[in-house]
Amino acid sequence: MTLAQRAFERLHAWPDLSAGPASCRTGRALRSVRDEIVHFHSDRDVDLHLTHRAIQRFQYDLGGSTAIRLVPNSRWVTVHLDCDADVDLLLSLTSIALKAHQSRPPADLAAGPSGLSGPAGCNYHRVTVLPRSAAGEA
């Protein structure tokens, strides 16, 4: 079982999330009543839908993680799953995302051009993730 499959199964068991196809047409999604929260694109790459406020609040912590990729002006973060700790990070961030979406102000409700919250939907095809072993090499 891949790390993404393990994370999907654990998150799918949460009562606030239900499964379906990702609106970006690649992979599976888990959504809350209000929004798509997580897109599973591959065996290792997952996009997580945070609110603008949540990304601002945790920006320095997110940017310091080798598992996280941020795209400017996107409300999605990409999580690259290389180990069990990355799965635990994804689960923690999903909890933050659920809480942020449940309590977000009305100004954050505006949908982008794709119909999703955020300027361009998830980060699929907007992020290139290198394996950690190659990321430190020049």
Side-chain angles (χ1 to χ4, degrees):
M1 178 181 295
T2 68
L3 292 169
Q5 289 170 326
R6 192 170 349 166
F8 183 89
E9 287 185 9
R10 288 177 66 184
L11 289 170
H12 189 242
W14 290 15
D16 293 339
L17 294 173
S18 60
S23 60
C24 65
R25 298 183 190 101
T26 302
R28 298 181 292 175
L30 291 171
R31 64 173 297 114
S32 70
V33 173
R34 292 175 71 175
D35 301 291
E36 286 187 10
I37 302 294
V38 187
H39 286 183
F40 288 84
H41 295 300
S42 71
D43 290 342
R44 294 194 180 270
D45 296 316
V46 178
D47 280 341
L48 178 69
H49 188 188
L50 290 170
T51 62
H52 178 70
R53 179 176 278 167
I55 290 174
Q56 282 184 322
R57 182 175 178 199
F58 295 105
Q59 182 174 6
Y60 295 108
D61 296 314
L62 295 171
S65 171
T66 58
I68 302 291
R69 298 297 176 264
L70 299 172
V71 174
N73 301 317
S74 176
R75 293 182 185 167
W76 294 78
V77 298
T78 300
V79 182
H80 185 71
L81 305 175
D82 268 337
C83 61
D84 290 333
D86 296 339
V87 172
D88 292 339
L89 175 63
L90 174 64
L91 272 62
S92 296
L93 290 174
T94 301
S95 181
I96 291 169
L98 283 168
K99 182 173 178 151
H101 280 272
Q102 290 169 351
S103 62
R104 73 174 180 224
D108 268 359
L109 293 174
S114 65
L116 295 173
S117 296
C122 72
N123 293 338
Y124 188 66
H125 288 304
R126 297 173 67 199
V127 171
T128 300
V129 180
L130 299 173
R132 284 193 182 126
S133 59
E137 298 171 7

